[in-house]
Amino acid sequence: MTHNTPLSPRPLHHLADGRRRLMTAAQLRAHGVSAAEADEQCRPGGPWQQLLPNVVLLHPGPPTSDERLHAVLLYAARERSAGATGVPLQPGAEGAASPAYAEAVITGLAALTLHGFSGAPPLPSLDAIDVLVPRTRRLRSTGCARIVRTAALPAAVPVTGVPVAPVARALADAVAGLTDAGVVRRLLTEAVRAGHCEPAAVVRELTRARLLGRPHVVDAVDSLVAEGRAIAEQRLYRMVREHGLPDPVWNVDLRLPGGPHLGGLDAYWPEQAVALELDTRAHRQEDDALWSEYARKREHLERLGITVVHITPRKLRESLEHQAAVVRTALMAAGDREPAAYVVVLPR
């Protein structure tokens, strides 16, 4: 058989059997299809089309959103084996990401859409799909694939067979390309309000990406932190109500009689001398100083015989019952302690 011999339609038809919709050039060669044969099938008006360099769509007509996603991954992934059978576009067990996509993770707006963000655009409207690869990879953005280089790939979250960046990282990569302050604010707010992640995780990623120097991002972060605190406070009220804890006094300041200010608290049980504080720090540059202030206040209160329970918004979101048990234990242990110093409780 020479390169001029006509292609046999039977094996090529078998390749595009309705399951395998995409193949790389190496995978086609493993099936006996030479580069020349693939080029012939991808000619204008032919049954196949080259969607991205070395990635062939095994049918004519526009690609679906799933096909574009998987094509971007096939283009960006480090190919492990030429004997792979192609992409069936059907998720594996429990939505596990395909092991064929080594060193490639979907990020940015496409990742947010896959995570279920209502404020992210639908996949068909995206001109390009962002994909994370190690910065040592020699790839360029082309077609619907936009390469985003990173020093270290995040642990991917599998969504319907697609490796997707965690929400906080996807947000940072999306924000890097956005200039509309309203869009940035809506996406960051939805991340917290819908329970996708905590404000601290978002701020860490924005800081790592050096995006906090942009005024519209800083404004959105301030709203994000306020939103996160409001949600955490609502969960705290629900914890007390639903788990039968005695009502505390809410949002108070403590002072020694005629003495100095001891600090503000989110909740305080005066009879048991138990204080509760929400840690809603946003993990910005001033965090070390802020944490030192938290620690000093806690040490001072405990020297006065006041038990301080420290809770983060994440703990309230993920283990509300356990946090209620922690508070209940502190309240029950009050009778076994020496009486606390008298303090003045003032509304904050």
Side-chain angles (χ1 to χ4, degrees):
M1 177 177 175
T2 69
H3 289 298
N4 295 323
T5 304
L7 297 176
S8 168
R10 185 174 182 83
L12 297 182
H13 178 73
H14 173 69
L15 286 179
D17 62 1
R19 290 189 68 256
R20 289 179 292 272
R21 310 298 297 274
L22 292 160
M23 279 194 174
T24 64
Q27 289 166 349
L28 286 170
R29 286 195 299 272
H31 283 270
V33 181
S34 69
E37 291 170 333
D39 289 344
E40 175 66 17
Q41 294 293 303
C42 291
R43 70 189 185 283
W48 297 352
Q49 53 187 309
Q50 183 169 306
L51 200 52
L52 288 167
N54 293 317
V55 180
V56 175
L57 183 63
L58 303 180
H59 69 78
T64 66
S65 296
D66 277 350
E67 287 168 346
R68 292 175 78 228
L69 275 172
H70 287 274
V72 168
L73 287 165
L74 280 175
Y75 169 68
R78 187 181 295 280
E79 196 153 23
R80 289 180 171 179
S81 171
T85 58
V87 179
L89 302 186
Q90 297 175 3
E94 299 182 358
S98 169
Y101 300 139
E103 298 186 356
V105 178
I106 298 295
T107 191
L109 290 173
L112 296 181
T113 300
L114 290 168
H115 279 298
F117 274 63
S118 61
L123 291 176
S125 70
L126 294 175
D127 294 329
I129 294 169
D130 293 328
V131 58
L132 282 166
V133 301
R135 64 184 178 189
T136 54
R137 296 285 307 283
R138 300 182 64 181
L139 285 170
R140 60 183 178 85
S141 298
T142 182
C144 61
R146 183 161 51 216
I147 300 299
V148 180
R149 303 184 187 282
T150 182
L153 281 175
V157 179
V159 181
T160 64
V162 176
V164 179
V167 167
R169 177 57 191 270
L171 269 172
D173 289 331
V175 168
L178 294 172
T179 57
D180 188 315
V183 173
V184 171
R185 184 187 299 268
R186 284 195 296 274
L187 289 175
L188 265 59
T189 299
E190 182 177 354
V192 175
R193 188 172 293 170
H196 291 291
C197 61
E198 301 298 335
V202 177
V203 176
R204 276 196 299 270
E205 288 294 345
L206 293 173
T207 302
R208 179 201 55 77
R210 300 180 180 178
L211 295 172
L212 292 182
R214 303 181 184 183
H216 69 286
V217 176
V218 173
D219 291 343
V221 165
D222 290 340
S223 297
L224 172 79
V225 172
E227 179 80 15
R229 167 162 275 280
I231 291 172
E233 287 175 347
Q234 290 170 9
R235 290 182 180 135
L236 185 58
Y237 300 150
R238 183 159 62 89
M239 180 189 77
V240 170
R241 183 178 65 252
E242 294 182 359
H243 293 276
L245 296 173
D247 288 330
V249 287
W250 297 102
N251 296 313
V252 295
D253 277 322
L254 299 187
R255 291 181 182 274
L256 287 172
H261 175 245
L262 298 174
L265 298 169
D266 294 282
Y268 184 59
W269 288 264
E271 292 184 9
Q272 296 85 3
V274 172
L276 186 146
E277 189 162 35
L278 275 174
D279 179 7
T280 56
R281 291 173 300 141
H283 296 272
R284 297 192 233 184
Q285 290 181 345
E286 66 267 22
D287 270 3
D288 289 343
L290 190 56
W291 176 248
S292 295
E293 181 184 339
Y294 272 117
R296 283 196 300 271
K297 178 169 65 175
R298 180 171 186 165
E299 289 172 2
H300 193 176
L301 291 175
E302 290 183 342
R303 284 198 301 270
L304 295 173
I306 296 172
T307 299
V308 180
V309 178
H310 188 262
I311 294 181
T312 65
R314 180 176 180 179
K315 289 179 180 178
L316 283 174
R317 176 167 62 91
E318 296 180 353
S319 57
L320 194 65
E321 183 176 359
H322 176 70
Q323 301 313 309
V326 170
V327 173
R328 183 177 291 106
T329 299
L331 294 172
M332 293 174 63
D336 299 328
R337 301 194 311 266
E338 292 292 326
Y342 179 77
V343 295
V344 178
V345 181
L346 300 171
R348 185 164 57 174

